[in-house]
């Protein structure tokens, strides 16, 4: 009987975990190096949208598409909110690729790579 109850509880929890709804409080924030898309990039993102350099979007390796992130550059204290719509970055040591609009708002165009803090909203 107890085993059946555990299975039923597990069935209710699995969809939330798969959809990214069950984040531990400590996993709601991460830090690392961010880069931005090339000024010459055009094409589709992993979610199927056409990349738009004027929108505030980002690529992350595993967060669900549609996840909103508040990105802060600790050096300048500038902050932007982006939506994850692509996969990447695929370069070791980087946590995000930002759209050109987000990179410009953070004033990171001249620095290229910037250490950022991201909070899941």
């Amino acid at each position: 009987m107890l085993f059946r109850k555990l299975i039923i509880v597990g069935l209710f929890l699995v969809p939330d975990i798969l959809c990214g709804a069950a984040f531990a409080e400590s996993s709601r924030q991460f830090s690392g190096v961010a880069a931005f898309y090339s000024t010459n990039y055009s094409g589709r993102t992993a979610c199927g949208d056409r990349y738009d350099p004027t929108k505030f979007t980002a690529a992350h390796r595993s967060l669900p598409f549609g996840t909103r992130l508040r990105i802060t550059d600790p050096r300048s204290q500038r902050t932007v909110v982006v939506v994850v719509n692509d996969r990447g970055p695929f370069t070791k040591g980087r946590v995000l690729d930002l759209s050109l609009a987000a990179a410009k708002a953070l004033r990171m165009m001249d620095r290229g790579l910037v250490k950022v803090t991201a909070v899941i909203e």
Side-chain angles (χ1 to χ4, degrees):
M1 185 72 162
L2 178 61
F3 183 70
R4 284 175 59 183
K5 286 182 181 179
L6 288 175
I7 289 174
I8 291 170
V9 170
L11 291 175
F12 283 108
L13 292 176
V14 168
D16 284 343
I17 293 169
L18 292 177
C19 294
F23 286 101
E25 191 59 36
S26 62
S27 69
R28 296 189 64 80
Q29 179 174 323
F30 59 92
S31 297
V33 176
F36 55 89
Y37 288 84
S38 165
T39 55
N40 299 322
Y41 179 77
S42 65
R44 297 215 176 264
T45 64
C47 76
D49 295 340
R50 182 165 296 285
Y51 170 70
D52 184 345
T54 65
K55 291 187 178 176
F56 287 76
T57 59
H60 186 273
R61 286 186 202 97
S62 60
L63 287 173
F65 296 141
T67 300
R68 290 171 49 92
L69 299 172
R70 186 170 14 99
I71 310 297
T72 302
D73 173 358
R75 186 172 119 185
S76 68
Q77 294 301 311
R78 293 188 180 284
T79 299
V80 297
V81 175
V82 298
V83 176
V84 174
N85 73 340
D86 202 4
R87 290 293 171 233
F90 298 110
T91 302
K92 188 176 179 175
R94 296 188 193 162
V95 295
L96 291 168
D97 280 336
L98 300 172
S99 66
L100 286 176
K104 287 177 183 177
L106 289 173
R107 295 193 180 162
M108 63 182 278
M109 298 298 291
D110 60 333
R111 294 186 280 163
L113 301 176
V114 175
K115 183 168 169 69
V116 298
T117 300
V119 178
I120 299 170
E121 292 194 330

